[in-house]
Structures are given as C-alpha cells and as structure tokens.
Amino acid sequence: MHWILLRGLTREHAHWGSFPHRLEDAFPGHQFHRVDLPGTGVHFKDPSPDRIADIREKVRHGVDHIPAPYNLIALSMGGMVALDWAQHVTEGEVQNLVLINTSSGFSLPWRRMRPGAWPRIVRLLARRELFDREADILRLTSNQPVDLDVMKHWYSIQRQRPVGFANAYAQMKAAVAYKPLPQRPLPNALVLASKGDRIVHWSCSQAFERRWQWTLKVHPSAGHDLPMDDPEWVIQQIAYWLPQ
C-alpha cells in the first residue's frame, strides 16, 4: 500500500521529522512517500501556483512513478490538495484519505484562520531573520515545549531550501480561496483535528463529518502540527480506522 504525505503552507518533506519512520514501524509492508508541494522542498526554486487545483496537478504529475491506488495523509493546506485530488480523479485512484487540521470553504473565514493568527502569520512570512522566524512558526504550530534541536533543524531546512515570499503568498492565496465540490469523493475518510490548534479551529474538520458523515477524531490539547505533538495518537487513530 502506497501512502503520499503532504505538508502545509511553506512546509516541506523534512518538516515531518520522525513521523514517517513511526508510520513505517506501525504499518509493515506499507510504503510512505513524502512529497513536496511546488515552491517547497526539492521544488523550492519552482513557482507555486495560486490555485489548489493547479498545485494538485503538479503533485499528481510528480508521483506518476508511484503505482496507484494512492492513500493520502495530509496536514493543513496539504489536506486541501489531498481533498481536491480525491474529487478530481478517476474512481479508485485515491483509496484512503486522512486529513489533519485542514479547512475549506465549507467553514467561515474566521474559523479557517483564527483572527489572532492572521497578522502573526503575515509578519512571519515577511520576516527576514530566519532563525527567529522558524522559531516563531514552531511556537505557533506546536503546543509542546520548545525543542532546540527541532528549532535548529527547521532553521537548517530554510537555509538549504528557502521558500520565497512570492511562493508563500501564492500558497496562502490558494488556501484562502479553496472550496471543495459539494459531492463526497469517498464513502469514508478519517478527519483528525486538534482542540488546541491556534491557527485553524477544529470545527473546520467537524464540517466534513457533518456534511459527508466522515469519521472525525479530535485531540484534546495538541496544536496545529498534530503529527509532531502526538504522533502516536495519530498513528493509533489511523490503525483503528483503516480496517473499515
């Protein structure tokens, strides 16, 4: 079984940390592929489209060497790309869908991006001091005590593969405008949310449960980067849900 892992706004494959290795240990025989969105990671020199549909197509073309069907685990804006993928492919191409702390046009704008997060994120994206910027992003997205090693790692990622302001702006524009089609793409999907998320309100995940009767599980305290804050909880939820 092949899984595609997608991160969110301005984040890349290396930001998953140890999570993919934990997945491999938990699901022997499954293969987990960390894939970068255009404008990030190995594609950091490429311009990012400013529409989710165009980002989705670039991601799809980038994984055509991996045999379908695909199973998607996607965080934040990556979840928008994954959902759009599931809604615009031939039947059977996407087999399983796991969305983590994502949002869509099904929710109110101030739920999709909490009012207090807007000015902070804009300032962060425009900030030039890389170490301080990455440290602040870590503090905003995680509710765990600050880990200096993780902070240094994120700084190193940005030094090696910097995401420019133009690409960050294009991704944000795409995320803000995204609205799924009304039709449910899969009979069931796993939707994970964090009540402690200070960027996206967990009710944005609840909207998928109410609209399409998908499976929703809510973490009581983790932050936006749920796979970082409690990776074992995430893996446990996937393991419980997957046989269904």
Side-chain angles (χ1 to χ4, degrees), residues 174-207:
V176 168
Y178 175 61
K179 184 172 184 178
L181 298 175
Q183 296 81 16
R184 182 176 66 178
L186 294 169
N188 196 13
L190 178 61
V191 185
L192 304 179
S194 307
K195 281 203 171 179
D197 189 338
R198 286 170 286 141
I199 299 176
V200 177
H201 196 278
W202 71 273
S203 64
C204 295
S205 294
Q206 190 180 45

Side-chain angles (χ1 to χ4, degrees), residues 126-142:
R127 197 168 182 176
R128 294 189 177 185
E129 301 85 356
L130 290 185
F131 188 83
D132 290 340
R133 182 176 74 184
E134 292 301 305
D136 284 345
I137 292 174
L138 180 59
R139 293 187 187 100
L140 179 62
T141 56
S142 172

Side-chain angles (χ1 to χ4, degrees), residues 12 43 101 117-118 123 145 165 177 179 181 184 193 197-198 200 208:
E12 60 149 82
H43 309 301
N101 283 331
W118 266 113
R123 287 197 302 269
F165 181 80
K179 184 172 184 178
L181 298 175
R184 182 176 66 178
D197 189 338
R198 286 170 286 141
V200 177
F208 297 118

Side-chain angles (χ1 to χ4, degrees), residues 54-95:
D54 295 330
I55 295 174
R56 173 250 303 167
E57 279 306 295
K58 285 188 173 292
V59 170
R60 283 186 71 205
H61 289 313
V63 301
D64 57 10
H65 62 288
I66 302 172
Y70 301 115
N71 304 275
L72 310 178
I73 298 177
L75 170 66
S76 193
M77 194 188 83
M80 302 177 200
V81 177
L83 178 55
D84 197 62
W85 189 346
Q87 289 192 315
H88 290 88
V89 295
T90 56
E91 185 176 352
E93 181 175 328
V94 174
Q95 188 174 45

Side-chain angles (χ1 to χ4, degrees), residues 7-106:
R7 292 282 302 193
L9 183 73
T10 75
R11 304 292 90 180
E12 60 149 82
H13 66 275
H15 288 102
W16 285 111
S18 64
F19 183 63
H21 302 297
R22 291 172 182 262
L23 287 168
E24 290 167 355
D25 291 340
F27 302 101
H30 295 213
Q31 297 184 49
F32 296 89
H33 309 271
R34 298 173 296 167
V35 176
D36 290 322
L37 303 181
T40 68
V42 297
H43 309 301
F44 79 95
K45 292 183 178 179
D46 300 334
S48 172
D50 60 3
R51 295 175 64 247
I52 291 296
D54 295 330
I55 295 174
R56 173 250 303 167
E57 279 306 295
K58 285 188 173 292
V59 170
R60 283 186 71 205
H61 289 313
V63 301
D64 57 10
H65 62 288
I66 302 172
Y70 301 115
N71 304 275
L72 310 178
I73 298 177
L75 170 66
S76 193
M77 194 188 83
M80 302 177 200
V81 177
L83 178 55
D84 197 62
W85 189 346
Q87 289 192 315
H88 290 88
V89 295
T90 56
E91 185 176 352
E93 181 175 328
V94 174
Q95 188 174 45
N96 292 296
L97 181 63
V98 180
L99 304 177
I100 305 173
N101 283 331
T102 194
S103 69
S104 74
F106 292 158

Side-chain angles (χ1 to χ4, degrees), residues 142-211:
S142 172
N143 288 351
Q144 294 296 309
V146 174
D147 187 319
L148 185 58
D149 289 335
V150 173
M151 198 180 298
K152 290 178 178 178
H153 178 55
W154 283 23
Y155 169 70
S156 176
I157 294 169
Q158 184 67 8
R159 284 292 302 270
Q160 295 174 53
R161 297 177 292 274
V163 178
F165 181 80
N167 277 338
Y169 178 77
Q171 287 189 352
M172 181 174 286
K173 183 179 178 182
V176 168
Y178 175 61
K179 184 172 184 178
L181 298 175
Q183 296 81 16
R184 182 176 66 178
L186 294 169
N188 196 13
L190 178 61
V191 185
L192 304 179
S194 307
K195 281 203 171 179
D197 189 338
R198 286 170 286 141
I199 299 176
V200 177
H201 196 278
W202 71 273
S203 64
C204 295
S205 294
Q206 190 180 45
F208 297 118
E209 178 199 34
R210 290 178 171 174
R211 180 177 289 262

